[in-house]
Amino acid sequence: MPEPDPSRPAGQCADLLRLMDAGKLREAAARARLLTRFSDDPYERTQAHLFLLGAQLTLGQAGTSEFTRVLAEADEAVKQFPEPAFVGEFHALAGGAAFAVGQIEDAMLHTVDGMRATAQARPSVTTALAWYDLAWTAGELGMTDEVDLALRHAHDTGRQWGLHYEDAPMRLITAVSADHRGDTDQCASMLADLSADGRRLAAGDLDGVAMADRAYLAYATARYTVLGGDPGVDPRRLMPAEADQASNPYRILTRVCLAITAGRPTDVLPALDATVPVNLVHEVEILRLRSLALSSAGDMTGALAAERQAIRRFTEPWQNLRRLAAHAARFRADHAVLSEYAAAALTDPLTGLPNRRHLEERLEEISGTRERAIVGLMDLDNFKDVNTHHGHLAGDAVLARIASVVASSLREGDFLARYGGDEFVAVLTETSLSAAHEVGDRVTAALARENWDELALGAPVGISIGWAELTEHGPDAALAAADRAMYARKGTRDY
């Protein structure tokens, strides 16, 4: 099959992207569903599964039986066609769905897995979308460092293909979340910044501004007025006419804010009661506006009750996460006691990877079944300089980080062990030498993207990898052949 054009989604998925950007989510979902059933292009079909999942998530269907089915189908499609950008996008959407139903731990795990996968993707429209959606999910979770990183990648990647995604939605979520946790001053400050952006955009041509940015900036300016601020622009000037409630869940809330500031706070209560929340942040925001409306109307008892309900909903998932963390800590303590002796014999204590003895057992096991496998010997470049110039503690930290990065770069089911010192061995089953070299390139690229200066300033961290067939040579001979291939590769490197 020919390589897909990375400058745009494959085939009809380009039309789906335009529909999504225009806020026509139901039409996009219907067309995506047809593509998942009838497209004979696996790239296009996988991408259609993800567009369908994204449309349903934005429509607030997370947690429904239909969404659960679509999520499972998208998961299976990505497993069948595991392009790193597709994997990253799936985790971004699955994380958003988990957050929407209060499963904070799952949402965080999906976000971390998604960022690791997308970091291995080549630049493309799909990669830019994955980074942008990862930023969105990370923003809902309050993972500010991950938001900044994902947005930077989204902007850098999307710019190559003429995509200019802004960060107004993430900034709005961060602002109202600050208000939900009691920091109204920070919320007002962030809304003031968003209002300034709204004034700037309103002074120009709004037709070229993404619908999502206009809609969320409209709500930011309206919300700022409820807190007593003067945004300097009419929120209705910013709101795009085509932004319906499905594509912008804050549209009704914008009108609620305008009514509160116009002195009609009790008029908005029926609208708030009728608004169906699409995720946790939206649900808490509805309760917060109810409190502000009742307070403005002089009903302090009702306002306090609504405020307390908002606090309970905002903190409930985090309480659940703390309980899960406590259970996990107790489980790890029990597991450590029970497995201490067995694990010590087969695990490297620094990296937590299987050790040389475990590796030898695994190789013998594969050889006995005559399963096809490739062995990769990995040796760090100039690692001695790290220990010499920064000390062994820094060297240990670098080794542990390298073990984590390499393990994350391998495929599901691959085996990685610390062979000794600064050497690691990977065992890839049911694959070819050419596929193994692709894995090696992915490992090398992942290590190059890491910020090693935070562990050992100026350390020349790199890796050389040699591959050999296991079934052709047997364990000892395969390791020796991989060692020769690794040193031959080192010989071609320019240090």
mmCIF file of all heavy atoms in Angstrom, residues 66-94:
data_model
loop_
_atom_site.group_PDB
_atom_site.id
_atom_site.type_symbol
_atom_site.label_atom_id
_atom_site.label_comp_id
_atom_site.label_asym_id
_atom_site.label_seq_id
_atom_site.Cartn_x
_atom_site.Cartn_y
_atom_site.Cartn_z
ATOM 1 N N GLU A 66 -23.407 3.313 23.714
ATOM 2 C CA GLU A 66 -22.976 3.540 22.343
ATOM 3 C C GLU A 66 -21.536 4.027 22.305
ATOM 4 O O GLU A 66 -20.726 3.568 21.485
ATOM 5 C CB GLU A 66 -23.900 4.564 21.672
ATOM 6 C CG GLU A 66 -23.398 5.144 20.348
ATOM 7 C CD GLU A 66 -23.332 4.109 19.228
ATOM 8 O OE1 GLU A 66 -23.868 2.996 19.419
ATOM 9 O OE2 GLU A 66 -22.743 4.424 18.183
ATOM 10 N N PHE A 67 -21.184 4.951 23.187
ATOM 11 C CA PHE A 67 -19.810 5.457 23.212
ATOM 12 C C PHE A 67 -18.839 4.344 23.608
ATOM 13 O O PHE A 67 -17.740 4.250 23.045
ATOM 14 C CB PHE A 67 -19.687 6.629 24.188
ATOM 15 C CG PHE A 67 -18.320 7.260 24.183
ATOM 16 C CD1 PHE A 67 -18.008 8.248 23.273
ATOM 17 C CD2 PHE A 67 -17.343 6.859 25.077
ATOM 18 C CE1 PHE A 67 -16.744 8.827 23.246
ATOM 19 C CE2 PHE A 67 -16.083 7.421 25.064
ATOM 20 C CZ PHE A 67 -15.789 8.411 24.149
ATOM 21 N N THR A 68 -19.218 3.517 24.576
ATOM 22 C CA THR A 68 -18.359 2.409 24.992
ATOM 23 C C THR A 68 -18.069 1.489 23.813
ATOM 24 O O THR A 68 -16.943 1.009 23.632
ATOM 25 C CB THR A 68 -19.020 1.627 26.132
ATOM 26 O OG1 THR A 68 -19.245 2.507 27.234
ATOM 27 C CG2 THR A 68 -18.132 0.479 26.591
ATOM 28 N N ARG A 69 -19.084 1.227 22.989
ATOM 29 C CA ARG A 69 -18.892 0.384 21.810
ATOM 30 C C ARG A 69 -17.947 1.059 20.809
ATOM 31 O O ARG A 69 -17.031 0.415 20.269
ATOM 32 C CB ARG A 69 -20.239 0.107 21.145
ATOM 33 C CG ARG A 69 -20.155 -0.814 19.934
ATOM 34 C CD ARG A 69 -21.508 -1.009 19.285
ATOM 35 N NE ARG A 69 -22.033 0.235 18.742
ATOM 36 C CZ ARG A 69 -21.627 0.755 17.585
ATOM 37 N NH1 ARG A 69 -20.696 0.138 16.864
ATOM 38 N NH2 ARG A 69 -22.146 1.883 17.144
ATOM 39 N N VAL A 70 -18.164 2.354 20.557
ATOM 40 C CA VAL A 70 -17.308 3.082 19.615
ATOM 41 C C VAL A 70 -15.866 3.132 20.125
ATOM 42 O O VAL A 70 -14.911 3.002 19.344
ATOM 43 C CB VAL A 70 -17.862 4.506 19.394
ATOM 44 C CG1 VAL A 70 -16.873 5.363 18.602
ATOM 45 C CG2 VAL A 70 -19.198 4.448 18.659
ATOM 46 N N LEU A 71 -15.694 3.305 21.440
ATOM 47 C CA LEU A 71 -14.359 3.327 22.043
ATOM 48 C C LEU A 71 -13.658 1.992 21.830
ATOM 49 O O LEU A 71 -12.467 1.942 21.463
ATOM 50 C CB LEU A 71 -14.475 3.635 23.537
ATOM 51 C CG LEU A 71 -13.169 3.715 24.336
ATOM 52 C CD1 LEU A 71 -12.328 4.898 23.876
ATOM 53 C CD2 LEU A 71 -13.460 3.826 25.831
ATOM 54 N N ALA A 72 -14.369 0.882 22.055
ATOM 55 C CA ALA A 72 -13.778 -0.445 21.870
ATOM 56 C C ALA A 72 -13.410 -0.684 20.409
ATOM 57 O O ALA A 72 -12.354 -1.266 20.101
ATOM 58 C CB ALA A 72 -14.752 -1.518 22.362
ATOM 59 N N GLU A 73 -14.267 -0.240 19.486
ATOM 60 C CA GLU A 73 -13.978 -0.415 18.062
ATOM 61 C C GLU A 73 -12.764 0.415 17.634
ATOM 62 O O GLU A 73 -11.936 -0.043 16.835
ATOM 63 C CB GLU A 73 -15.206 -0.033 17.229
ATOM 64 C CG GLU A 73 -16.369 -0.999 17.386
ATOM 65 C CD GLU A 73 -17.617 -0.530 16.658
ATOM 66 O OE1 GLU A 73 -17.625 0.633 16.177
ATOM 67 O OE2 GLU A 73 -18.585 -1.314 16.568
ATOM 68 N N ALA A 74 -12.656 1.628 18.168
ATOM 69 C CA ALA A 74 -11.492 2.464 17.849
ATOM 70 C C ALA A 74 -10.217 1.843 18.411
ATOM 71 O O ALA A 74 -9.164 1.843 17.757
ATOM 72 C CB ALA A 74 -11.694 3.873 18.409
ATOM 73 N N ASP A 75 -10.293 1.305 19.610
ATOM 74 C CA ASP A 75 -9.146 0.638 20.229
ATOM 75 C C ASP A 75 -8.673 -0.513 19.350
ATOM 76 O O ASP A 75 -7.473 -0.658 19.079
ATOM 77 C CB ASP A 75 -9.555 0.133 21.616
ATOM 78 C CG ASP A 75 -8.365 -0.433 22.395
ATOM 79 O OD1 ASP A 75 -7.205 -0.145 22.029
ATOM 80 O OD2 ASP A 75 -8.611 -1.162 23.376
ATOM 81 N N GLU A 76 -9.611 -1.334 18.875
ATOM 82 C CA GLU A 76 -9.247 -2.471 18.030
ATOM 83 C C GLU A 76 -8.679 -2.000 16.700
ATOM 84 O O GLU A 76 -7.715 -2.586 16.181
ATOM 85 C CB GLU A 76 -10.486 -3.342 17.796
ATOM 86 C CG GLU A 76 -10.215 -4.609 16.994
ATOM 87 C CD GLU A 76 -9.205 -5.535 17.665
ATOM 88 O OE1 GLU A 76 -9.128 -5.519 18.916
ATOM 89 O OE2 GLU A 76 -8.501 -6.258 16.938
ATOM 90 N N ALA A 77 -9.254 -0.939 16.126
ATOM 91 C CA ALA A 77 -8.755 -0.421 14.849
ATOM 92 C C ALA A 77 -7.318 0.078 14.982
ATOM 93 O O ALA A 77 -6.480 -0.172 14.107
ATOM 94 C CB ALA A 77 -9.662 0.708 14.355
ATOM 95 N N VAL A 78 -7.019 0.770 16.065
ATOM 96 C CA VAL A 78 -5.663 1.293 16.272
ATOM 97 C C VAL A 78 -4.679 0.144 16.508
ATOM 98 O O VAL A 78 -3.531 0.192 16.056
ATOM 99 C CB VAL A 78 -5.658 2.296 17.445
ATOM 100 C CG1 VAL A 78 -4.227 2.663 17.831
ATOM 101 C CG2 VAL A 78 -6.426 3.555 17.064
ATOM 102 N N LYS A 79 -5.114 -0.894 17.197
ATOM 103 C CA LYS A 79 -4.231 -2.049 17.402
ATOM 104 C C LYS A 79 -3.906 -2.729 16.075
ATOM 105 O O LYS A 79 -2.810 -3.263 15.891
ATOM 106 C CB LYS A 79 -4.883 -3.036 18.354
ATOM 107 C CG LYS A 79 -4.894 -2.581 19.814
ATOM 108 C CD LYS A 79 -5.612 -3.567 20.706
ATOM 109 C CE LYS A 79 -5.598 -3.090 22.156
ATOM 110 N NZ LYS A 79 -6.398 -3.995 23.046
ATOM 111 N N GLN A 80 -4.867 -2.706 15.145
ATOM 112 C CA GLN A 80 -4.631 -3.304 13.835
ATOM 113 C C GLN A 80 -3.746 -2.428 12.952
ATOM 114 O O GLN A 80 -3.089 -2.927 12.034
ATOM 115 C CB GLN A 80 -5.980 -3.553 13.137
ATOM 116 C CG GLN A 80 -6.864 -4.585 13.803
ATOM 117 C CD GLN A 80 -6.262 -5.976 13.799
ATOM 118 O OE1 GLN A 80 -5.654 -6.396 12.820
ATOM 119 N NE2 GLN A 80 -6.425 -6.689 14.900
ATOM 120 N N PHE A 81 -3.730 -1.121 13.212
ATOM 121 C CA PHE A 81 -2.947 -0.182 12.413
ATOM 122 C C PHE A 81 -2.280 0.816 13.369
ATOM 123 O O PHE A 81 -2.671 1.969 13.458
ATOM 124 C CB PHE A 81 -3.859 0.543 11.417
ATOM 125 C CG PHE A 81 -3.121 1.123 10.243
ATOM 126 C CD1 PHE A 81 -2.810 0.335 9.153
ATOM 127 C CD2 PHE A 81 -2.752 2.454 10.225
ATOM 128 C CE1 PHE A 81 -2.133 0.874 8.062
ATOM 129 C CE2 PHE A 81 -2.074 2.996 9.153
ATOM 130 C CZ PHE A 81 -1.766 2.195 8.059
ATOM 131 N N PRO A 82 -1.240 0.356 14.099
ATOM 132 C CA PRO A 82 -0.711 1.141 15.233
ATOM 133 C C PRO A 82 0.275 2.231 14.850
ATOM 134 O O PRO A 82 1.406 2.270 15.348
ATOM 135 C CB PRO A 82 -0.043 0.058 16.089
ATOM 136 C CG PRO A 82 0.421 -0.960 15.098
ATOM 137 C CD PRO A 82 -0.600 -0.973 13.986
ATOM 138 N N GLU A 83 -0.117 3.119 13.942
ATOM 139 C CA GLU A 83 0.699 4.308 13.694
ATOM 140 C C GLU A 83 0.818 5.096 15.000
ATOM 141 O O GLU A 83 -0.183 5.296 15.700
ATOM 142 C CB GLU A 83 0.052 5.185 12.627
ATOM 143 C CG GLU A 83 0.167 4.648 11.217
ATOM 144 C CD GLU A 83 1.541 4.912 10.621
ATOM 145 O OE1 GLU A 83 2.175 5.909 11.020
ATOM 146 O OE2 GLU A 83 1.976 4.116 9.781
ATOM 147 N N PRO A 84 2.020 5.573 15.374
ATOM 148 C CA PRO A 84 2.173 6.281 16.653
ATOM 149 C C PRO A 84 1.207 7.450 16.830
ATOM 150 O O PRO A 84 0.695 7.677 17.929
ATOM 151 C CB PRO A 84 3.631 6.750 16.616
ATOM 152 C CG PRO A 84 4.319 5.733 15.773
ATOM 153 C CD PRO A 84 3.329 5.354 14.715
ATOM 154 N N ALA A 85 0.937 8.200 15.744
ATOM 155 C CA ALA A 85 0.004 9.330 15.863
ATOM 156 C C ALA A 85 -1.407 8.840 16.161
ATOM 157 O O ALA A 85 -2.145 9.459 16.939
ATOM 158 C CB ALA A 85 0.005 10.160 14.581
ATOM 159 N N PHE A 86 -1.806 7.706 15.561
ATOM 160 C CA PHE A 86 -3.120 7.136 15.852
ATOM 161 C C PHE A 86 -3.197 6.670 17.302
ATOM 162 O O PHE A 86 -4.212 6.864 17.976
ATOM 163 C CB PHE A 86 -3.401 5.954 14.922
ATOM 164 C CG PHE A 86 -3.718 6.339 13.505
ATOM 165 C CD1 PHE A 86 -3.615 5.414 12.480
ATOM 166 C CD2 PHE A 86 -4.098 7.631 13.177
ATOM 167 C CE1 PHE A 86 -3.908 5.752 11.173
ATOM 168 C CE2 PHE A 86 -4.392 7.995 11.871
ATOM 169 C CZ PHE A 86 -4.290 7.052 10.869
ATOM 170 N N VAL A 87 -2.129 6.039 17.776
ATOM 171 C CA VAL A 87 -2.094 5.576 19.168
ATOM 172 C C VAL A 87 -2.209 6.768 20.117
ATOM 173 O O VAL A 87 -2.965 6.750 21.092
ATOM 174 C CB VAL A 87 -0.800 4.781 19.451
ATOM 175 C CG1 VAL A 87 -0.726 4.380 20.924
ATOM 176 C CG2 VAL A 87 -0.738 3.534 18.567
ATOM 177 N N GLY A 88 -1.457 7.833 19.825
ATOM 178 C CA GLY A 88 -1.512 9.023 20.667
ATOM 179 C C GLY A 88 -2.884 9.661 20.675
ATOM 180 O O GLY A 88 -3.402 10.061 21.723
ATOM 181 N N GLU A 89 -3.510 9.763 19.471
ATOM 182 C CA GLU A 89 -4.842 10.358 19.385
ATOM 183 C C GLU A 89 -5.870 9.513 20.137
ATOM 184 O O GLU A 89 -6.744 10.054 20.830
ATOM 185 C CB GLU A 89 -5.241 10.490 17.912
ATOM 186 C CG GLU A 89 -6.663 10.976 17.673
ATOM 187 C CD GLU A 89 -6.888 12.425 18.079
ATOM 188 O OE1 GLU A 89 -5.907 13.106 18.477
ATOM 189 O OE2 GLU A 89 -8.042 12.884 18.003
ATOM 190 N N PHE A 90 -5.750 8.185 20.018
ATOM 191 C CA PHE A 90 -6.691 7.328 20.747
ATOM 192 C C PHE A 90 -6.580 7.557 22.245
ATOM 193 O O PHE A 90 -7.584 7.692 22.956
ATOM 194 C CB PHE A 90 -6.442 5.850 20.439
ATOM 195 C CG PHE A 90 -7.265 4.928 21.300
ATOM 196 C CD1 PHE A 90 -8.604 4.697 21.025
ATOM 197 C CD2 PHE A 90 -6.705 4.323 22.413
ATOM 198 C CE1 PHE A 90 -9.383 3.886 21.833
ATOM 199 C CE2 PHE A 90 -7.472 3.494 23.229
ATOM 200 C CZ PHE A 90 -8.807 3.269 22.946
ATOM 201 N N HIS A 91 -5.364 7.609 22.767
ATOM 202 C CA HIS A 91 -5.180 7.821 24.211
ATOM 203 C C HIS A 91 -5.689 9.203 24.638
ATOM 204 O O HIS A 91 -6.231 9.360 25.736
ATOM 205 C CB HIS A 91 -3.711 7.658 24.592
ATOM 206 C CG HIS A 91 -3.274 6.224 24.714
ATOM 207 N ND1 HIS A 91 -3.812 5.373 25.643
ATOM 208 C CD2 HIS A 91 -2.357 5.503 24.019
ATOM 209 C CE1 HIS A 91 -3.237 4.183 25.526
ATOM 210 N NE2 HIS A 91 -2.358 4.235 24.546
ATOM 211 N N ALA A 92 -5.514 10.209 23.774
ATOM 212 C CA ALA A 92 -6.020 11.542 24.097
ATOM 213 C C ALA A 92 -7.535 11.508 24.268
ATOM 214 O O ALA A 92 -8.086 12.060 25.235
ATOM 215 C CB ALA A 92 -5.632 12.536 23.011
ATOM 216 N N LEU A 93 -8.213 10.848 23.337
ATOM 217 C CA LEU A 93 -9.674 10.788 23.387
ATOM 218 C C LEU A 93 -10.152 9.871 24.507
ATOM 219 O O LEU A 93 -11.120 10.193 25.213
ATOM 220 C CB LEU A 93 -10.214 10.309 22.040
ATOM 221 C CG LEU A 93 -9.902 11.230 20.853
ATOM 222 C CD1 LEU A 93 -10.324 10.575 19.545
ATOM 223 C CD2 LEU A 93 -10.577 12.584 21.019
ATOM 224 N N ALA A 94 -9.488 8.730 24.684
ATOM 225 C CA ALA A 94 -9.869 7.826 25.769
ATOM 226 C C ALA A 94 -9.641 8.488 27.121
ATOM 227 O O ALA A 94 -10.427 8.303 28.063
ATOM 228 C CB ALA A 94 -9.077 6.521 25.674
#
